[in-house]
Structure formats: structure tokens, C-alpha cells
Amino acid sequence: MSNKKAVQKETTLLESLGLSRLKSGIHIDERIIFIMGFVLFLVGLFMLVAFASYFTTGEADQSLVTSLQEGEVRNTNQEFQNICGSIGAIVSHYMIARSFGLAAFLIPVFIILVSLKWMRAYKDINLLKCFFGLTLIMIWCSVCFAKFLAPAFSSSIFNPGGDHGLFCAQYIENMIGTPGLIAILAAVAIAFLVYLSAETVYLVQHILNPLKIFEKIPFTITNKPNNAGSDNKKEKSIVSVLSPSTQEYDDPTPTEVTFTDDDEVNVVDGESKEEKKPEFGTIRPRKPKKEVGLEIEVGKDEERATGNTVDGDPLSTPINPKEPSTQYKYPTLNLLKHYEDDSRPNIDEDELKAKKDQIVKALNSFNVAIREIKATVGPTITLYEITPAEGVRISKIRNLQDDIALNLAALGIRIIAPIPGKGTIGIEVPNKKPSIVSMRSILDSKKFQESKMELPIALGKTITNEVFMVDLAKIPHLLVAGATGQGKSVGLNAIITSLLYKKHPNELKLVLIDPKKVEFSVYSPIADHFMASVDDDDEVIITDVTKVVRTLKSLCALMDHRYDMLKMVKARNVKEYNQKYVNHQLNPAEGHEYMPYIVVVIDEFGDLIMTAGKEIELPIARIAQLARAVGIHMVIATQRPTTNIITGNIKANFPGRMAFRVMQMIDSRTILDRPGANQLVGRGDMLFLSGSDLIRVQCAFIDTPEVETINDYINKQPGPTAPMDLPEPVADEGMIDSGGSSIMEGGSKLDPIIEEAARSIVLTQQGSTSMIQRRFSIGYNRAGRLMDQLEKIGIVGPAQGSRPRDVLIPDENSLNNLFMRMKEEGGM
């Protein structure tokens, strides 16, 4: 037994030396290997110091090195100026000046790597790959520096590429000229980068064709399994694979995939009690588990009215809110595309086993012991659940996030320590071949079809392949944020499509605000069926920023009117009010009518804040604070998740957050109040936050042609003939007296020079009373009244003591728009 251990020890030492091919008859003590490595480490440091000193002492030592006489190497008279003496000067001269120039610094670097390998400080260093890689880099840099850095070193005693680089550059240029030399250098560099990472191919393709559509590039994560340092101990892990719901609404069927130390993948049936060794890759279904869901009590108004009459009193028949458009047909599923790979995730057993081994290896290298590891395969992400051994600190595993990502060579590694409700730690790893989550597979699920939510929103699938849905009526407002091209617009289309598939035109109205003018234009065919707008708006989909404030104030007026109606009938929310209306408890002659839900969707909220500022934020904050009970809900999206866009007032009233991938951690903290969104992989990968629950979801994909097909189908259905009219906004800035003079609330007239004063304040961005006095040569009392009037109409902020007032209007164009609206509304 002892002889066997000795042979294994010798083999390990030989492998560390790169001598694994030698016969086992050679006996090398481990202490000798360590001493040799330490000596090499000192040699490498000596060369680095000598090379660095050569830059300042090389000119002084050149004559001594080139005409070296016998005995001068001993440097008895200390004639050499190099800090490492005569040996340092000689080695530096021949390595830098006579050989590879600045690239010669890679020689001591390789020597240090060899020493670290021999001292077993870094066990995973592949010396053969390092040798060939650093050699290629050194030769390439030598030629490149000799060609392009020579002018910068014209006063130096050596060429930056050394004699080797200078000779190669001149030799190649003499044969094929400078363009040929550049082409050879570029070809070698690209070939080497492609060998290091396949992402170089996509980068070169993007550079050659910058207009290439991103969707045409297959999104893959390259993971190269490395089994060289796998542990010899027997390991066993269970991978639970949850299949998504089928069209027959089957529950997810889990199977257990067992990894053995013989590299066999055994998939075991949950019902079978006999221990049999199945063939490789054999999959047998397990007994389905009963899905535990949250039961939500729903009222009678949620039940779909049948429209049938009952014999007897006609008041016993509930009012059908869908009248007179009872023949309206909901969009069908065949309008959506069906993708072949959206029925079940792509399960690559080799990939699962390789990543499992890499995670275990990475944890073992940091002395983190684990008892069990399970994997749940999702459409885009695989969740590896780790059960740590006793005594392992959670913070130790959490701090290894970057090391695990480096070991797996994957983007978007996220560690959940611990998983809420479980005694495990989760590691989320992107799949090499992500699956498409189509909108059709989501809307065709049992969970969506049988949902009794007021405003159901089907967003996508979780890591466990379960359909993820939320009720917008309970959120009640949603904030969507993410960088450009990460799936934000697709997410908005998924939200709107979910509502169109579930709600009747009489039950739902949309207010779409699109500053970009192109995102929501596809919904123009359903303007009469599902839209709401102010009477005199020509375009139902609002694209003009100047009309946004008017529409939001109109919604505030509608909100106040609905609250008055709820107060009149003693109803707490729109659901109770509609239930009373349907059951003939309200008299339509008194102004009562069925109240549809109103969903306001705002794209590019950041652009609105930049152009309109407080005029936009204040009505949005008021709607977000009060409009939940009267059935008005908001969904706002921005690609600039900064604190001046998503202010504290907005965040406090938007508890629902959808965060797509962002580039910086501070942006993730702005959206979610925690990091995580900066670790997503993009392409619809998102985090959903509601309350304290943070869920990772792959957003459902719906293409623009699918949205157009759905809208054309709805346009052909019977329904309302015009958009819903919103009330006129209340003009509270001012009014006109009988003589036509402009007066403020309370009867005070507007100063005749108020426009000139406002223009001066906006241009200088200084709101002080003393400036108005000096500029217009008026007294303090009149200037004070002017500032009060400017505050009431929203040009300056309130007084701040001795400090100047804040100017709320950013530029002269916004000021002109404000005065124009005041004149139209009778305020001037």
C-alpha cells in the first residue's frame, strides 16, 4: 500500500515538472522540487530588476559590454552601473538590445511561472501552453515594436524590438512591403485571439459589418470542460430537470440524472424501486408531482358573463359589460409563431457533467467542501444548488463568484447565498445553447388560460421552466429598465399582448406614450378598440412631448372623477364598483357606468424627464400614489436607470420592477436597490422584483410581425368605433376676467412684464428677486409679486431663504410651450 502511494506521489511531482513521460524509476524528492522552484523564482526577479535598470544604465554600460575584457566580469572597480552588476548588464544587453527588445520581459515572466508551478503555489498552470503562447507573443511584439515604436526610441541606444525584431521587419518589408508586414501581423494576432476565445469571431464580424442585426448572431456561451484536475474521490450529484408545460397542460415532470464516478449518466425513474443500471442516456419519466400554487379569491365580476336571460325579473340577470360587442372574439394562438425548441429546454448531459465537475473543482481548490450538488435546467440559465458541508461559511462561497466564473469561462454567473426557503446555495450558470421562450408557449399554458387575475401579465419562464405571471392590478405599477438592446421593448410588447389576449375592449383601455414615435406605432390599428385619448388629440398614440403633460393631467381629472363616483356609492375600489354596477345596484341615469381598467404605458421615460422635467414627474407621482383603487395603472420604461431619472418619488410608488441587463452595478442598485442586473446575460434575461422577492426570468419573445398580425385580427372584430374619451384637464394655472385681462387664482392680475421676466430667468437660469429688480428697474414689492406669480405657473420653485430659487424650465423652447398652453387654456 505504501509503495502505491509513493508511486502516485512521484507521478504527481513529475507532472509538475513536465516530466510525466519519464519512467517511474526516477526518484525526486518533493523538497528538491520546491528548492529548485524557489531558485528559479529568484532568478526571474533578478532578471526583471536587471531589465528595468537597463533603461537608465544601458548607455553607460554599453561600451563595457561590447568590448568586454578578461576579468572585467568580476566588476572589481564597480565600473558597471546596472543595479544587478556586470551579470545584469550583460544579460540585459543581449536579451533586450541584441535579441527581442521590450518583449524580452516575457522571458523572466515565464521563468517565474515555472517556479510557481514547481513550488505548487499555482497547480493549474499549463507550462506547455504558457511556453508556446508567450513565445508567440514575444516574437510578434518584437517585430511590431521594431516597426511602429522605433520613432519613439530614436534617441535610445537600442531598438524597441531588438535586433531580432528589426531584422525580421526589414526582411519582410523588403519582400512584400509595409502593407504585407501589417497584414501578416494582423493575421497572426487574429488567429491567436481566435484560439484564445471564440468571441473574437463575432467581434471581427461586427467590425466588418457594423450594421449586422444582433438577432442573426447565435448567442452561445463557450464552456470548455477541463477534466485534467478532477478529484479522484467518488462524487455523486443529482440533476433535476423540469420540463415545461405541454399543450395538454401537463404538470412539469422532473427526472433525476445521476452522475457517477465512471462518467455514466443514469436517469432514474422516480416510481421504480428496483436498482437497475440503465444504459447511457436512458430517460424514463418520473411520477409527476402535484403543483402547489397560491389560491386567489375572485369576485363574481371576474366571471365571464354568458349573456343568457333568466325567466322572471330582468334585473336578476347581471349586466354584461361586453355589450354591445358581445360578438368580439379574442385573438387565437395560431397568430403567434411556434418554435421547435420552446417545448423543452436543451439538456446536454455532457455539458451538465462538465460544469458540475468544474464547479466542484473550483470549490475544492479553495478548500470549500460540499455534500451534494443538484442542477435545475432552465431555458437560458441552469441553477446548480449546492449543499455545503458543516462548518463552511456562506460568505466564503459568495466571495468566490469571480473565481467560479473564470473557471467556467462563462458570462453572467450569479450566486444566491442562501436560496430563500432552502438550505442550499445557488449558482446560476448560462446554458451553452439557450432555448427560445416563445410568447405562444406562455399564453398556451394552463396557468395563463385558467388565470382569474384582473390584469394578467405573462412575462416568461423561470429557471424551473414554470410560467411566470403577475397581476398588474395588485403590483400596481411597474418600472421597466435596462440597457439598449437587452429586451426592454420586447418585454413591453409581451405585457401589452398578454392583456390583449385576456381582456375585452370594454374592460381595458390603453394610453400609449411613445417619445421615439416608432415603438408603439404598430398598435395604431387597435386604437378604436383599446385606446383612450383626450378629445382633440389627432394621434391616439402620443408621440408629442408637449401633449404628454396634458394627457397625464387628464388622467388625474379622470382619477378624481372616479373617486367621486366611488365615494357616492361607498365602494372602496373599482372592482367593488363594477360589481355593484353589473348587479343593477347603480342607476346609469345618475352618471354611473362600467369603469374599464386603464393601463398607461410610457416608453423612454428618461427622455420625457429631460424635456419636461417636473411637469411630467408630478402628475405621474400623483397617479402612482392614488390611482390604484380606481383602476388606473402605469408601466414606465427607461434605458437610463440613473437617479435623476428614477427619482426616490418614482421608486417609492412603483413597487414592481423589471430589470434587464445593465452595464454597471450602480444602475442595478438604482432599479432593484441591490446588485444583480449587471450580471445578466442579455437577450431577455431579466430580474423581477415585487416586494422582497427577486426572481430571475427569461422574458417571452414576441416579434414585430406577430404583434402586427394580432392587431390586424383585433381590428377586424366588432367593438368600439372610437377611442375612449378622457376628460379635459383642469386649467388651474389661471383664468380670464370679464375684461379679458389675465388674472391668477384669487383675483390677482398677472404682471404685464411677466413673459419678459420669465424669459430672462430661463435664459440665465437664476431665479432671484434682486435680479428682476436690476434688470427691469422695478421696486422690491413688484419684483416679489412677479416671483410669486412665476412660482404659481411653474417657472421657478419656492423661496429658499437667501439662496436663489430653482428654475424649473430648462430652456426657452419649453417656456414658449408653457405660455402657448396657458393662452389656449385661458391662463394669459
Side-chain angles (χ1 to χ4, degrees), residues 215 336-337 339 342 435-442 459-460 487 490-491 493-494 683-684 698-706:
E215 284 78 3
L336 299 170
K337 293 181 181 179
Y339 296 89
D342 64 354
S435 302
I436 297 177
V437 178
S438 66
M439 196 69 196
R440 177 170 181 169
S441 65
I442 302 298
L459 297 177
V490 176
N493 288 333
R683 299 290 297 274
Q698 176 61 37
C699 183
F701 177 73
I702 180 170
D703 205 359
T704 302
E706 297 178 76

Side-chain angles (χ1 to χ4, degrees), residues 384-388 393-394 397 415-419 423-427:
Y384 292 87
E385 295 185 38
I386 295 175
T387 304
R393 299 174 63 90
I394 295 179
I397 299 179
I415 293 182
I416 309 172
I419 297 178
T424 58
I425 297 174
I427 301 178

Side-chain angles (χ1 to χ4, degrees), residues 435-580:
S435 302
I436 297 177
V437 178
S438 66
M439 196 69 196
R440 177 170 181 169
S441 65
I442 302 298
L443 301 183
D444 195 22
S445 63
K446 179 180 179 181
K447 188 173 184 179
F448 182 82
Q449 294 292 338
E450 299 182 356
S451 171
K452 297 298 181 181
M453 297 179 180
E454 293 291 331
L455 294 174
I457 296 178
L459 297 177
K461 289 184 179 180
T462 62
I463 295 179
T464 57
N465 286 286
E466 296 177 356
V467 174
F468 182 75
M469 291 179 56
V470 293
D471 190 356
L472 184 59
K474 293 184 177 181
I475 293 181
H477 308 290
L478 185 61
L479 173 63
V480 183
T484 304
Q486 304 303 323
K488 187 171 69 277
S489 298
V490 176
L492 293 178
N493 288 333
I495 292 173
I496 298 174
T497 301
S498 301
L499 297 174
L500 295 180
Y501 265 81
K502 205 67 176 177
K503 306 302 290 186
H504 189 274
N506 292 347
E507 299 173 335
L508 171 70
K509 297 298 177 183
L510 300 173
V511 177
L512 303 182
I513 299 175
D514 181 17
K516 289 197 299 187
K517 303 181 181 181
V518 294
E519 290 294 339
F520 293 151
S521 59
V522 69
Y523 294 101
S524 56
I526 62 172
D528 294 341
H529 286 74
F530 281 99
M531 299 292 179
S533 64
V534 185
D535 293 339
D536 56 352
D537 282 347
D538 297 331
E539 297 181 357
V540 179
I541 300 175
I542 304 170
T543 58
D544 188 357
V545 178
T546 59
K547 296 181 180 180
V548 175
V549 178
R550 191 164 184 267
T551 302
L552 294 176
K553 290 184 177 180
S554 176
L555 290 171
C556 291
L558 177 63
M559 177 183 68
D560 295 335
H561 171 71
R562 287 192 170 186
Y563 267 115
D564 292 338
M565 302 302 292
L566 264 62
K567 178 182 178 182
M568 186 184 304
V569 300
K570 296 181 175 57
R572 294 182 302 172
N573 51 51
V574 68
K575 181 178 178 180
E576 294 182 4
Y577 179 90
N578 287 337
Q579 186 174 355
K580 289 184 177 182

Side-chain angles (χ1 to χ4, degrees), residues 72 76 91 111 117-118 189 202-203 221 226 228 244 384 389 430 532 569:
E72 290 182 350
T76 306
V91 173
I111 294 176
K117 175 76 172 181
W118 287 6
Y202 303 141
L203 178 62
I221 300 297
N226 185 10
Y384 292 87
V569 300

Side-chain angles (χ1 to χ4, degrees), residues 334-378:
N334 57 9
L335 301 175
L336 299 170
K337 293 181 181 179
H338 176 71
Y339 296 89
E340 295 181 358
D341 58 346
D342 64 354
S343 57
R344 63 164 43 242
N346 296 323
I347 303 173
D348 189 344
E349 297 169 352
D350 295 335
E351 178 187 357
L352 293 177
K353 183 173 66 65
K355 288 185 177 180
K356 182 267 301 184
D357 293 338
Q358 290 171 339
I359 292 175
V360 173
K361 178 183 176 182
L363 295 176
N364 288 339
S365 63
F366 291 95
N367 297 324
V368 177
I370 60 175
R371 289 186 299 174
E372 187 183 37
I373 178 170
K374 299 180 180 179
T376 304
V377 183

Side-chain angles (χ1 to χ4, degrees), residues 170-226:
Q170 292 178 350
Y171 184 81
I172 296 175
E173 276 189 310
N174 292 337
M175 296 181 63
I176 56 177
T178 301
L181 174 62
I182 296 176
I184 291 178
L185 291 175
V188 173
I190 292 176
F192 184 69
L193 293 176
V194 170
Y195 171 75
L196 293 180
S197 174
E199 298 295 331
T200 308
V201 177
Y202 303 141
L203 178 62
V204 174
Q205 291 175 347
H206 182 70
I207 294 175
L208 296 178
N209 185 7
L211 301 179
K212 190 171 184 179
I213 300 176
F214 183 74
E215 284 78 3
K216 293 184 179 180
I217 301 178
F219 180 82
T220 58
I221 300 297
T222 304
N223 291 316
K224 298 182 179 179
N226 185 10

